[in-house]
Amino acid sequence: TARHGTARHGEMVPELQKSTVRIQQPERVMGVIRAIKEQGCSKLQVISDFDMTLSRFGCNGRRCPTSHNILDNSHVISEDGKKKLKDLLHHYYPIEIDPNRTLEEKRPLMVEWWTRAHELLSQQKIQKGDIAQIVRESDVMLRDGFNELFDQLHKYSVPMFIFSAGVGDVLEEIIRQANVFYPNVNVVSNYMDFDDSGVLKCFKSPLIHTYNKNNSVLQGTAYFQQLSTRTSIILLGDSMGDLTMADGVPSVENILKIGFLNDKVEEQRGRYLDAYDIVLESDETLDVVNGILRYIL
Ligand code: C5P
Ligand code: MG
């Protein structure tokens, strides 16, 4: 019975009884978690999105910034630049999360958004040396429990691959300032290209947006080939676009997909439950991820 099932998860991972947790197939999920534990930490890797997955979506009813928003809102952007970046956000973000549009419809529009935003940012004479202060002055917050997550993975030498459509220079600075940028953490993201005097001139290619987080941008990186023995995967994301992040891993034996459902919860619930093994609704913490890792490691 359902009650029986829940009680058994509770014994293994008490955090799965939090009211924010939704699971469509509890038996399957427990089977995958058990299999990952049996394989051991030498077979495990974590693949995670950054914005709104490792960082918080909101705090006290206010939205927290993405790595792009941190730049958009910073003192180095002119008032005119800020307005244009905000207009782009208000136009394209609803498209990004619209459940009634297909990925094929969304893809060219996301390329348009990222391209326009990167062009605007590149006109602002942002200096490489300003990034640390911009991050320090921002409202960005990592989810509660980030310390335990990064510390545990470091302690057990589990590789953590952060695959982000955000801004790599900014997100690296966030985890550096949080003192968790350990050697087992690897990042693929959009990186800034500075001229000889350290002023932003453009963004490096390939452009990573919400809906091309797959092999098409990982082809050049040897990362997954090195990790071909890491056949157990825990994938963390908040968007339907994050589901393909592990596609480049050559031989996946066990994969557990955990999805943070942050926005438009009612409208998106059905699709998230079909796609993610575990859905965390309006949960600003990493409690469930940490609980699963505590059981596995
Ligand atoms: O790290 P992640 O892949 O989540 O980063 C992408 C996020 O950044 C998207 O969810 C999108 O809403 C946001 N974004 C933004 N400003 C842009 C482009 C994307 O806030 N100019
Ligand atoms: Mg995200």
Side-chain angles (χ1 to χ4, degrees), residues 28-29 55 77 101 109 118 138 141 189 251 269 286:
R28 205 193 84 80
V29 165
S55 68
I77 309 290
R101 291 187 201 234
L109 298 167
H118 288 178
S138 76
M141 291 173 81
S189 185
S251 48
R269 178 177 292 140
L286 290 160

Side-chain angles (χ1 to χ4, degrees), residues 49-52 66 68-69 72 89 93 96 113-114 117 163-166 210 213 238 242:
D49 169 50
F50 184 76
D51 292 296
M52 313 293 113
T66 64
H68 277 98
N69 301 156
D72 301 351
L89 181 67
Y93 177 68
E96 181 190 4
W113 181 14
W114 263 251
F163 192 178
S164 167
T210 327
K213 295 171 88 171
D238 77 294
D242 295 328

